């Protein structure tokens, strides 16, 4: 599974107040029950903060289609800092992002949801390309540069 997006509103002002994740009737995804009483956050893949142009765009990021079971420390730490860096880059150039979810030796929750084992993220800002890999676990470093990789996985 993967997602690609362009950071559209690095300095948008739409509010997320009152927004929550929603399911899609035609595609099976995780849901609220999968995130109860465990270490996983509802990790936005395309971050809400990159789509705060207006409430309609922002609302789209709250689909469970854009959500992954992500270790709470990764989501709230190193991953969040890398998302902020994407928006910083987008202030001066077009930023395109690709994320590939890894499912090697993944675990299943009692609810039936499969937990990704890791996340690859490629950020293209103008002519520069940055690539990262994060295991879906508590990071050992808060510096996203410590997770930079040289080879992008084949799909």
């Amino acid at each position: 599974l993967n997602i690609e997006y362009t950071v559209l509103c690095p300095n948008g002002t739409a509010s997320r107040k009152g927004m929550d994740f929603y399911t899609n009737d035609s595609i099976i995804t995780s849901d609220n029950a999968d995130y109860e009483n465990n270490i996983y956050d509802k990790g936005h893949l395309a971050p809400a903060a990159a789509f705060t142009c207006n409430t309609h765009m922002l609302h789209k990021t709250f689909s469970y289609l854009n959500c992954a079971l992500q270790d709470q420390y990764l989501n709230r730490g190193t991953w969040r800092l890398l998302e902020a860096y994407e928006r910083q880059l987008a202030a001066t150039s077009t930023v395109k992002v690709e994320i590939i979810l890894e499912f090697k030796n993944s675990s299943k929750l009692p609810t039936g949801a499969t937990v990704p084992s890791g996340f690859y993220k490629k950020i293209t800002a103008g002519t520069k390309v940055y690539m990262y890999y994060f295991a879906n676990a508590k990071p050992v470093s808060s510096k996203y540069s410590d997770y930079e990789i040289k080879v992008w996985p084949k799909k």
Side-chain angles (χ1 to χ4, degrees), residues 36-65:
E36 293 176 1
N37 302 316
N38 61 39
I39 62 166
Y40 300 106
D41 276 354
K42 297 173 186 169
H44 279 89
L45 295 172
F51 295 92
T52 55
C53 305
N54 57 56
T55 54
H56 177 71
M57 287 179 71
L58 182 59
H59 182 258
K60 285 183 173 186
T61 70
F62 281 87
S63 167
Y64 275 108
L65 294 169

Side-chain angles (χ1 to χ4, degrees), residues 10 33 52 66 75 88 123 127 132 141 148:
T52 55
N66 183 45
N75 185 49
Q88 181 184 335
I123 301 169
T127 59
Y132 305 89
S141 172
E148 202 159 355

Side-chain angles (χ1 to χ4, degrees), residues 25 38-39 41 46 52 57 61 64 81 84 86 102 113 117 121 126 130 134-135 140-141 146 150:
D25 290 341
N38 61 39
I39 62 166
D41 276 354
T52 55
M57 287 179 71
T61 70
Y64 275 108
L81 296 172
E86 290 171 26
E102 178 183 65
S117 55
K121 181 179 260 196
Y130 308 91
F134 299 92
V140 295
S141 172
D146 289 344
K150 302 291 184 208

Side-chain angles (χ1 to χ4, degrees):
L1 300 172
N2 71 306
I3 186 168
E4 296 179 27
Y5 62 91
T6 301
V7 177
L8 296 178
C9 305
N11 300 309
T13 58
S15 172
R16 355 173 5 148
K17 186 177 180 180
M19 291 193 190
D20 200 3
F21 282 90
Y22 58 90
T23 58
N24 180 303
D25 290 341
S26 63
I27 300 173
I28 298 171
T29 63
S30 61
D31 61 34
N32 230 19
D34 297 316
Y35 299 87
E36 293 176 1
N37 302 316
N38 61 39
I39 62 166
Y40 300 106
D41 276 354
K42 297 173 186 169
H44 279 89
L45 295 172
F51 295 92
T52 55
C53 305
N54 57 56
T55 54
H56 177 71
M57 287 179 71
L58 182 59
H59 182 258
K60 285 183 173 186
T61 70
F62 281 87
S63 167
Y64 275 108
L65 294 169
N66 183 45
C67 185
L69 289 148
Q70 191 172 54
D71 180 273
Q72 62 188 347
Y73 295 104
L74 174 60
N75 185 49
R76 299 173 198 180
T78 314
W79 190 264
R80 178 186 57 82
L81 296 172
L82 185 54
E83 289 174 341
Y85 182 56
E86 290 171 26
R87 292 189 303 280
Q88 181 184 335
L89 291 170
T92 57
S93 65
T94 299
V95 173
K96 296 182 179 290
V97 181
E98 180 180 3
I99 299 170
I100 298 175
L101 284 73
E102 178 183 65
F103 290 94
K104 290 183 180 173
N105 302 313
S106 295
S107 60
K108 270 200 183 265
L109 298 178
T111 57
T114 304
V115 179
S117 55
F119 303 90
Y120 289 92
K121 181 179 260 196
K122 178 170 37 174
I123 301 169
T124 303
T127 59
K128 294 187 177 180
V129 177
Y130 308 91
M131 297 182 295
Y132 305 89
Y133 174 76
F134 299 92
N136 195 10
K138 184 177 182 179
V140 295
S141 172
S142 62
K143 294 180 358 186
Y144 50 82
S145 58
D146 289 344
Y147 298 91
E148 202 159 355
I149 59 173
K150 302 291 184 208
V151 178
W152 190 245
K154 293 180 182 176
K155 290 184 189 175

